[in-house]
PDB file of all heavy atoms in Angstrom:
ATOM      1  N   ILE A 407       5.022  10.118  -3.467  1.00  0.00           N
ATOM      2  CA  ILE A 407       4.420   8.776  -3.356  1.00  0.00           C
ATOM      3  C   ILE A 407       5.207   8.034  -2.285  1.00  0.00           C
ATOM      4  O   ILE A 407       6.428   7.914  -2.384  1.00  0.00           O
ATOM      5  CB  ILE A 407       4.483   8.035  -4.708  1.00  0.00           C
ATOM      6  CG1 ILE A 407       3.688   8.832  -5.742  1.00  0.00           C
ATOM      7  CG2 ILE A 407       3.943   6.615  -4.572  1.00  0.00           C
ATOM      8  CD1 ILE A 407       3.742   8.275  -7.134  1.00  0.00           C
ATOM      9  N   ILE A 408       4.510   7.607  -1.253  1.00  0.00           N
ATOM     10  CA  ILE A 408       5.204   6.926  -0.145  1.00  0.00           C
ATOM     11  C   ILE A 408       4.796   5.459  -0.144  1.00  0.00           C
ATOM     12  O   ILE A 408       3.629   5.129   0.104  1.00  0.00           O
ATOM     13  CB  ILE A 408       4.843   7.569   1.217  1.00  0.00           C
ATOM     14  CG1 ILE A 408       5.097   9.087   1.174  1.00  0.00           C
ATOM     15  CG2 ILE A 408       5.636   6.928   2.343  1.00  0.00           C
ATOM     16  CD1 ILE A 408       4.767   9.809   2.473  1.00  0.00           C
ATOM     17  N   ASP A 409       5.762   4.591  -0.416  1.00  0.00           N
ATOM     18  CA  ASP A 409       5.501   3.144  -0.426  1.00  0.00           C
ATOM     19  C   ASP A 409       5.788   2.530   0.931  1.00  0.00           C
ATOM     20  O   ASP A 409       6.603   3.041   1.685  1.00  0.00           O
ATOM     21  CB  ASP A 409       6.397   2.468  -1.473  1.00  0.00           C
ATOM     22  CG  ASP A 409       5.769   2.532  -2.845  1.00  0.00           C
ATOM     23  OD1 ASP A 409       4.608   2.099  -2.976  1.00  0.00           O
ATOM     24  OD2 ASP A 409       6.430   3.060  -3.772  1.00  0.00           O
ATOM     25  N   GLY A 410       5.147   1.409   1.199  1.00  0.00           N
ATOM     26  CA  GLY A 410       5.432   0.661   2.435  1.00  0.00           C
ATOM     27  C   GLY A 410       4.747   1.260   3.652  1.00  0.00           C
ATOM     28  O   GLY A 410       5.269   1.206   4.758  1.00  0.00           O
ATOM     29  N   ILE A 411       3.538   1.802   3.449  1.00  0.00           N
ATOM     30  CA  ILE A 411       2.868   2.512   4.556  1.00  0.00           C
ATOM     31  C   ILE A 411       2.311   1.569   5.622  1.00  0.00           C
ATOM     32  O   ILE A 411       1.811   2.014   6.652  1.00  0.00           O
ATOM     33  CB  ILE A 411       1.744   3.440   4.047  1.00  0.00           C
ATOM     34  CG1 ILE A 411       0.728   2.628   3.265  1.00  0.00           C
ATOM     35  CG2 ILE A 411       2.329   4.582   3.235  1.00  0.00           C
ATOM     36  CD1 ILE A 411      -0.551   3.383   3.032  1.00  0.00           C
ATOM     37  N   GLU A 412       2.416   0.242   5.377  1.00  0.00           N
ATOM     38  CA  GLU A 412       2.019  -0.715   6.432  1.00  0.00           C
ATOM     39  C   GLU A 412       2.821  -0.425   7.692  1.00  0.00           C
ATOM     40  O   GLU A 412       2.339  -0.614   8.808  1.00  0.00           O
ATOM     41  CB  GLU A 412       2.301  -2.164   5.989  1.00  0.00           C
ATOM     42  CG  GLU A 412       1.457  -2.665   4.827  1.00  0.00           C
ATOM     43  CD  GLU A 412       1.918  -2.166   3.453  1.00  0.00           C
ATOM     44  OE1 GLU A 412       2.967  -1.485   3.365  1.00  0.00           O
ATOM     45  OE2 GLU A 412       1.202  -2.446   2.479  1.00  0.00           O
ATOM     46  N   GLU A 413       4.066   0.013   7.517  1.00  0.00           N
ATOM     47  CA  GLU A 413       4.907   0.354   8.682  1.00  0.00           C
ATOM     48  C   GLU A 413       4.271   1.488   9.481  1.00  0.00           C
ATOM     49  O   GLU A 413       4.244   1.459  10.704  1.00  0.00           O
ATOM     50  CB  GLU A 413       6.311   0.787   8.215  1.00  0.00           C
ATOM     51  CG  GLU A 413       7.233  -0.361   7.851  1.00  0.00           C
ATOM     52  CD  GLU A 413       7.642  -1.204   9.053  1.00  0.00           C
ATOM     53  OE1 GLU A 413       7.759  -0.664  10.146  1.00  0.00           O
ATOM     54  OE2 GLU A 413       7.827  -2.420   8.876  1.00  0.00           O
ATOM     55  N   ILE A 414       3.779   2.519   8.771  1.00  0.00           N
ATOM     56  CA  ILE A 414       3.147   3.659   9.457  1.00  0.00           C
ATOM     57  C   ILE A 414       1.875   3.179  10.176  1.00  0.00           C
ATOM     58  O   ILE A 414       1.614   3.533  11.324  1.00  0.00           O
ATOM     59  CB  ILE A 414       2.821   4.792   8.459  1.00  0.00           C
ATOM     60  CG1 ILE A 414       4.102   5.276   7.770  1.00  0.00           C
ATOM     61  CG2 ILE A 414       2.106   5.948   9.160  1.00  0.00           C
ATOM     62  CD1 ILE A 414       3.903   6.377   6.734  1.00  0.00           C
ATOM     63  N   ASP A 415       1.124   2.304   9.501  1.00  0.00           N
ATOM     64  CA  ASP A 415      -0.122   1.782  10.085  1.00  0.00           C
ATOM     65  C   ASP A 415       0.132   0.944  11.338  1.00  0.00           C
ATOM     66  O   ASP A 415      -0.775   0.744  12.142  1.00  0.00           O
ATOM     67  CB  ASP A 415      -0.877   0.910   9.063  1.00  0.00           C
ATOM     68  CG  ASP A 415      -1.484   1.744   7.938  1.00  0.00           C
ATOM     69  OD1 ASP A 415      -1.703   2.951   8.156  1.00  0.00           O
ATOM     70  OD2 ASP A 415      -1.730   1.189   6.855  1.00  0.00           O
ATOM     71  N   ARG A 416       1.340   0.437  11.492  1.00  0.00           N
ATOM     72  CA  ARG A 416       1.657  -0.341  12.707  1.00  0.00           C
ATOM     73  C   ARG A 416       1.517   0.525  13.961  1.00  0.00           C
ATOM     74  O   ARG A 416       1.236   0.012  15.042  1.00  0.00           O
ATOM     75  CB  ARG A 416       3.103  -0.847  12.648  1.00  0.00           C
ATOM     76  CG  ARG A 416       3.276  -2.190  11.972  1.00  0.00           C
ATOM     77  CD  ARG A 416       4.736  -2.614  12.003  1.00  0.00           C
ATOM     78  NE  ARG A 416       5.285  -2.536  13.341  1.00  0.00           N
ATOM     79  CZ  ARG A 416       6.570  -2.320  13.638  1.00  0.00           C
ATOM     80  NH1 ARG A 416       7.456  -2.178  12.693  1.00  0.00           N
ATOM     81  NH2 ARG A 416       6.974  -2.255  14.889  1.00  0.00           N
ATOM     82  N   GLY A 417       1.756   1.841  13.804  1.00  0.00           N
ATOM     83  CA  GLY A 417       1.789   2.674  15.005  1.00  0.00           C
ATOM     84  C   GLY A 417       0.868   3.883  15.001  1.00  0.00           C
ATOM     85  O   GLY A 417       0.683   4.511  16.046  1.00  0.00           O
ATOM     86  N   TYR A 418       0.316   4.236  13.857  1.00  0.00           N
ATOM     87  CA  TYR A 418      -0.538   5.440  13.792  1.00  0.00           C
ATOM     88  C   TYR A 418      -1.875   5.022  13.210  1.00  0.00           C
ATOM     89  O   TYR A 418      -1.950   4.514  12.091  1.00  0.00           O
ATOM     90  CB  TYR A 418       0.104   6.511  12.888  1.00  0.00           C
ATOM     91  CG  TYR A 418       1.418   7.038  13.425  1.00  0.00           C
ATOM     92  CD1 TYR A 418       2.607   6.376  13.149  1.00  0.00           C
ATOM     93  CD2 TYR A 418       1.470   8.196  14.195  1.00  0.00           C
ATOM     94  CE1 TYR A 418       3.817   6.847  13.631  1.00  0.00           C
ATOM     95  CE2 TYR A 418       2.675   8.684  14.685  1.00  0.00           C
ATOM     96  CZ  TYR A 418       3.851   7.999  14.399  1.00  0.00           C
ATOM     97  OH  TYR A 418       5.044   8.467  14.882  1.00  0.00           O
ATOM     98  N   GLU A 419      -2.943   5.260  13.974  1.00  0.00           N
ATOM     99  CA  GLU A 419      -4.277   4.820  13.544  1.00  0.00           C
ATOM    100  C   GLU A 419      -4.799   5.707  12.418  1.00  0.00           C
ATOM    101  O   GLU A 419      -4.922   6.929  12.591  1.00  0.00           O
ATOM    102  CB  GLU A 419      -5.209   4.890  14.766  1.00  0.00           C
ATOM    103  CG  GLU A 419      -6.614   4.462  14.465  1.00  0.00           C
ATOM    104  CD  GLU A 419      -7.514   4.571  15.716  1.00  0.00           C
ATOM    105  OE1 GLU A 419      -7.065   4.260  16.815  1.00  0.00           O
ATOM    106  OE2 GLU A 419      -8.672   5.000  15.540  1.00  0.00           O
ATOM    107  N   ARG A 420      -5.086   5.104  11.262  1.00  0.00           N
ATOM    108  CA  ARG A 420      -5.684   5.812  10.101  1.00  0.00           C
ATOM    109  C   ARG A 420      -5.187   7.264  10.010  1.00  0.00           C
ATOM    110  O   ARG A 420      -5.971   8.216   9.958  1.00  0.00           O
ATOM    111  CB  ARG A 420      -7.204   5.784  10.200  1.00  0.00           C
ATOM    112  CG  ARG A 420      -7.781   4.380  10.024  1.00  0.00           C
ATOM    113  CD  ARG A 420      -9.267   4.418   9.800  1.00  0.00           C
ATOM    114  NE  ARG A 420      -9.969   5.007  10.918  1.00  0.00           N
ATOM    115  CZ  ARG A 420     -10.445   4.326  11.959  1.00  0.00           C
ATOM    116  NH1 ARG A 420     -10.307   3.014  12.001  1.00  0.00           N
ATOM    117  NH2 ARG A 420     -11.070   4.934  12.928  1.00  0.00           N
ATOM    118  N   VAL A 421      -3.892   7.400   9.959  1.00  0.00           N
ATOM    119  CA  VAL A 421      -3.304   8.741  10.060  1.00  0.00           C
ATOM    120  C   VAL A 421      -3.674   9.609   8.854  1.00  0.00           C
ATOM    121  O   VAL A 421      -3.818  10.825   8.972  1.00  0.00           O
ATOM    122  CB  VAL A 421      -1.769   8.632  10.272  1.00  0.00           C
ATOM    123  CG1 VAL A 421      -1.057   8.200   9.009  1.00  0.00           C
ATOM    124  CG2 VAL A 421      -1.197   9.911  10.831  1.00  0.00           C
ATOM    125  N   ASP A 422      -3.877   8.955   7.692  1.00  0.00           N
ATOM    126  CA  ASP A 422      -4.251   9.702   6.487  1.00  0.00           C
ATOM    127  C   ASP A 422      -5.601  10.389   6.676  1.00  0.00           C
ATOM    128  O   ASP A 422      -5.736  11.591   6.462  1.00  0.00           O
ATOM    129  CB  ASP A 422      -4.253   8.782   5.255  1.00  0.00           C
ATOM    130  CG  ASP A 422      -4.941   7.437   5.519  1.00  0.00           C
ATOM    131  OD1 ASP A 422      -4.981   7.005   6.689  1.00  0.00           O
ATOM    132  OD2 ASP A 422      -5.450   6.825   4.556  1.00  0.00           O
ATOM    133  N   GLU A 423      -6.590   9.611   7.145  1.00  0.00           N
ATOM    134  CA  GLU A 423      -7.938  10.190   7.339  1.00  0.00           C
ATOM    135  C   GLU A 423      -7.896  11.332   8.349  1.00  0.00           C
ATOM    136  O   GLU A 423      -8.540  12.366   8.164  1.00  0.00           O
ATOM    137  CB  GLU A 423      -8.898   9.130   7.891  1.00  0.00           C
ATOM    138  CG  GLU A 423      -9.289   8.086   6.885  1.00  0.00           C
ATOM    139  CD  GLU A 423     -10.091   6.954   7.528  1.00  0.00           C
ATOM    140  OE1 GLU A 423     -10.781   7.187   8.531  1.00  0.00           O
ATOM    141  OE2 GLU A 423     -10.008   5.823   6.999  1.00  0.00           O
TER     142      GLU A 423
END
Side-chain angles (χ1 to χ4, degrees):
I407 299 176
I408 307 180
D409 275 306
I411 58 166
E412 293 78 5
E413 281 292 328
I414 301 179
D415 289 337
R416 271 182 51 208
Y418 296 86
E419 180 181 321
R420 292 193 299 269
V421 73
D422 45 334
E423 288 172 29

